[in-house]
């Protein structure tokens, strides 16, 4: 039944000009030009550069130093009489190099933490893109709906103007009282007011369209409903597998775990290879030039520091927090899937009911119009059924749009809306595989990250 409804629930595009902006083109424009998407994209790129920056921890540090000044040393036990307690010009220049060989896995976990953060920002961007695609779809559909509502309101005005003209002829012929003409004209005025209200809503919809999509709407082309899963169970399964919010929450757990290991690395020694050379004049109070060179291993290890037990407990609780936050997101996605499905089913049922009701109302209007001409129905009878027909038709236009929108909401829930409109994930964000690369690749390959422009 629902598949049949989808086939008939499309909003007709009859009369759209050849240069009309399609829904597909509008969504693509929003995803590539909206500044809120660009802001999240910049955040993703910044985290990529932060990951690349950690490469410095695997490279040696080289420091050059120098000094120039006067020095007075009084050390008769060490200095000869000619140098002791004498102010001399002192200068030196040198270079030190250090390469960390072992640091308690601090660097490795820092790489993994930043890789997890980068993956998280990739999923954050993809989730923002799904939201933007849905917002663009809603803005597009709202303009289209209000355009159709305006057409319905104008048609309603024409029908009441036609009734008013017929009543005027009957009043002039003495077949109806003058009060009927006043009643008919009052309904014409009410139909005009309805047009004014719809025009205001259309202007609001146009403004939102321009904010989300980036340009004022031109001619809107036809819209068709998307294919949705066959059941709530299938939708929920797909949502839990594909939803980017859940993937983002998983990266947060990995980032917290890596940050925990970074802190715990302080409990292990640091081993480094050090080398350097210094050349100086009149150093330490001794006259003459002096140079020295050194190379060797250095070990630094804090064997005891109070409060480490509480530090570990705090880190464990932070990991629990990230896990519970992920579980919260999973429940929210389950609820969102149920809400999206319920909205879709209800919209389909509502549209079917309104379609049947509109058919009946149109038949009643035709019968009442014939009976009014035959003086078997009063003017109020005819105007009342016209009002009922207009209200049902007005609601059906919104029901059509709601049904179509509900199918796109289902796609967004399972994270496939942007791709439905032809925007591949690779055109939006980097490939979210940096955690895996951090686990399995040598450090030199982890940093092989190219950040090109979004297409």
């Amino acid at each position: 039944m629902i598949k049949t409804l989808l086939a008939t629930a499309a909003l007709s595009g009859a009369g759209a000009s050849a240069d009309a902006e399609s829904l597909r083109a509008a969504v693509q424009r929003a995803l590539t030009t909206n500044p809120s998407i660009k802001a999240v994209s910049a955040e993703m790129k910044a985290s990529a550069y932060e990951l690349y920056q950690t490469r410095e921890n695997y490279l040696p540090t080289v420091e050059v130093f120098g000094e120039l000044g006067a020095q007075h040393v009084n050390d008769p036990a060490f200095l000869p009489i000619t140098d002791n307690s004498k102010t001399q010009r002192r200068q030196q220049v040198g270079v030190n190099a250090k390469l960390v060989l072992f640091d308690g896995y601090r660097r490795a976990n820092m790489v993994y933490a930043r890789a997890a953060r980068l993956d998280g920002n990739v999923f954050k961007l993809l989730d923002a893109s799904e939201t933007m695609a849905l917002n663009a779809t809603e803005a597009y559909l709202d303009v289209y709906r209000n355009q159709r509502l305006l057409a319905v309101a104008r048609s309603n005005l024409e029908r009441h103007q036609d009734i008013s003209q017929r009543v005027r002829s009957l009043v002039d012929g003495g077949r109806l009282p003058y009060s009927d003409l006043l009643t008919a004209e009052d309904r014409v005025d009410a139909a005009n007011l309805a047009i004014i209200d719809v025009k205001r809503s259309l202007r609001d919809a146009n403004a939102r369209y321009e904010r989300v999509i980036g340009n004022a709407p031109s001619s809107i082309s036809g819209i068709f409903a998307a294919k949705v899963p066959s059941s709530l169970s299938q939708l929920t399964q797909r949502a839990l597998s594909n939803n980017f919010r859940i993937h983002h929450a998983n990266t947060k757990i990995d980032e917290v775990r890596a940050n925990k290991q970074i802190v715990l690395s302080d409990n292990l020694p640091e081993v480094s290879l050090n080398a350097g050379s210094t050349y100086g004049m009149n150093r330490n109070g001794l006259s003459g030039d002096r140079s020295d060179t050194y190379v060797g291993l250095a070990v630094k290890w804090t064997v005891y520091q109070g409060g480490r037990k509480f530090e570990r407990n705090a880190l464990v609780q932070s990991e629990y927090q990230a896990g519970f936050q992920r579980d919260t997101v999973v429940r929210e996605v389950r609820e969102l899937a149920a809400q999206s499905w319920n909205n879709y089913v209800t919209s389909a049922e509502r549209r079917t009911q309104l379609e049947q009701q509109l058919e009946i109302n149109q038949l009643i209007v035709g019968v009442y119009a014939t009976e009014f001409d035959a003086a078997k129905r009063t003017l109020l009878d005819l105007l009342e059924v016209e009002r009922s027909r207009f209200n049902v038709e007005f609601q059906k236009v919104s029901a059509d749009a709601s049904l179509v929108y509900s199918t796109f909401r289902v796609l967004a829930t399972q994270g496939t809306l942007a791709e439905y409109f032809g925007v591949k994930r690779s055109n939006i964000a980097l490939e979210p595989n940096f955690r895996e690369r951090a686990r399995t690749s040598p450090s030199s390959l982890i940093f092989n990250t190219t950040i090109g422009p979004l297409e």
Side-chain angles (χ1 to χ4, degrees), residues 58 102-111 258 261-262 265 268-269:
Y58 287 88
F102 177 76
D103 61 353
Y105 308 105
R106 170 185 290 273
R107 294 171 298 177
N109 283 293
M110 183 177 295
V111 169
Q261 294 303 318
I262 291 174
S265 68
L268 298 175

Side-chain angles (χ1 to χ4, degrees), residues 163-164 167 176-177 179-185 187 372 377-385:
I163 292 174
S164 180
V167 169
L176 290 177
S179 60
D180 278 357
L181 178 59
L182 295 177
T183 301
E185 290 178 346
R187 291 299 179 93
F372 173 73
R377 290 287 180 181
T378 66
L379 174 62
L380 287 176
D381 291 336
L382 179 60
L383 293 176
E384 184 61 22
V385 294

